[in-house]
Amino acid sequence: MKIKLPIIIALILCFASCKPTETPESVADKVLTEISNELLSGEPCSTKDFSLALVYNDLAKAFINGEDFPNSPFDKYFQLDKTFSRWELIDVKEHSIDLYRIWDFTVKGGDIEHDAILDIYKAEGGEFNGEKLCKITEKAAAILEHKDIPMYLLRYKMDSRHVAFVGDEYCIVNVGVIKHPEDGYKVISFMWDE
């Protein structure tokens, strides 16, 4: 009995300290609630619960391909211009994406940072700590951070507004959620269907 009691206490403490498991749906629902409340109150939307993964991917891919950076990449993936008060999940589709990072050497650090990064990746054959150097210049570097990250595209029927004698008018919104290896589930897009 002396041995069983500490094990039982340890199990109780473990279960008591565990937080509920998040899902793509629960994270999206939390963010939808926050967006709805902020838009309905007339306040600008907070971006604290967003991940800018798709924005960084667009910037990195443009840099790798030698193209101009896209205009307003945040507005492309976060279309926060319509109010809504209710939503209903239609379906969830899963696929995977790669996550990129871009470093701007013109901001703080300059050549020292550039040379250090170049030396690390050269010494490791282009890869370091599971990340792959895709392109580097004197001004910037694009790194492939993670491959095949689970992404969930959740489609919702949104109550955009109530019209007298007609009822609710619905629109469809697509909410992208990834399961980041370190940060867990994060919303990476909120885009209205045309």
Side-chain angles (χ1 to χ4, degrees), residues 20-184:
T21 305
E22 289 186 325
T23 65
E25 293 86 352
S26 69
V27 171
D29 191 58
K30 176 186 171 211
V31 170
L32 289 173
T33 300
E34 291 174 5
I35 292 172
S36 174
N37 290 340
E38 289 171 351
L39 287 173
L40 291 171
S41 70
E43 297 176 19
C45 286
S46 167
T47 59
K48 65 181 175 63
D49 294 314
F50 296 150
S51 165
L52 300 178
L54 293 178
V55 173
Y56 296 144
N57 279 6
D58 278 4
L59 295 173
K61 288 175 184 175
F63 174 70
I64 291 166
N65 295 327
E67 300 168 354
D68 290 336
F69 287 129
N71 291 333
S72 305
F74 180 85
D75 295 337
K76 175 182 175 182
Y77 293 110
F78 296 99
Q79 300 168 354
L80 306 172
D81 58 343
K82 296 179 186 175
T83 60
F84 56 92
S85 57
R86 294 179 295 187
W87 51 92
E88 178 184 331
L89 181 64
I90 300 170
D91 60 26
V92 180
K93 294 180 182 172
E94 182 181 352
H95 63 279
S96 63
I97 64 169
D98 298 335
L99 298 182
Y100 292 84
R101 175 170 31 133
I102 191 160
W103 277 329
D104 184 353
F105 299 133
T106 61
V107 178
K108 199 174 168 186
D111 294 333
I112 296 168
E113 187 174 339
H114 169 272
D115 294 342
I117 290 170
L118 187 57
D119 289 345
I120 289 170
Y121 283 98
K122 274 186 179 177
E124 300 295 326
E127 292 192 26
F128 176 71
N129 202 20
E131 298 178 351
K132 180 180 179 188
L133 178 65
C134 298
K135 182 176 180 179
I136 190 166
T137 66
E138 294 299 318
K139 294 185 178 183
I143 309 291
L144 174 59
E145 276 189 302
H146 301 285
K147 284 193 71 63
D148 299 324
I149 299 300
M151 179 179 170
Y152 307 87
L153 188 61
L154 296 88
R155 286 187 337 125
Y156 288 90
K157 183 167 72 167
M158 309 297 277
D159 171 17
S160 62
R161 63 186 180 272
H162 184 80
V163 180
F165 307 110
V166 177
D168 298 326
E169 291 185 4
Y170 291 97
C171 297
I172 303 296
V173 75
N174 297 292
V175 178
V177 178
I178 59 169
K179 185 174 184 182
H180 194 278
E182 291 96 31
D183 301 330

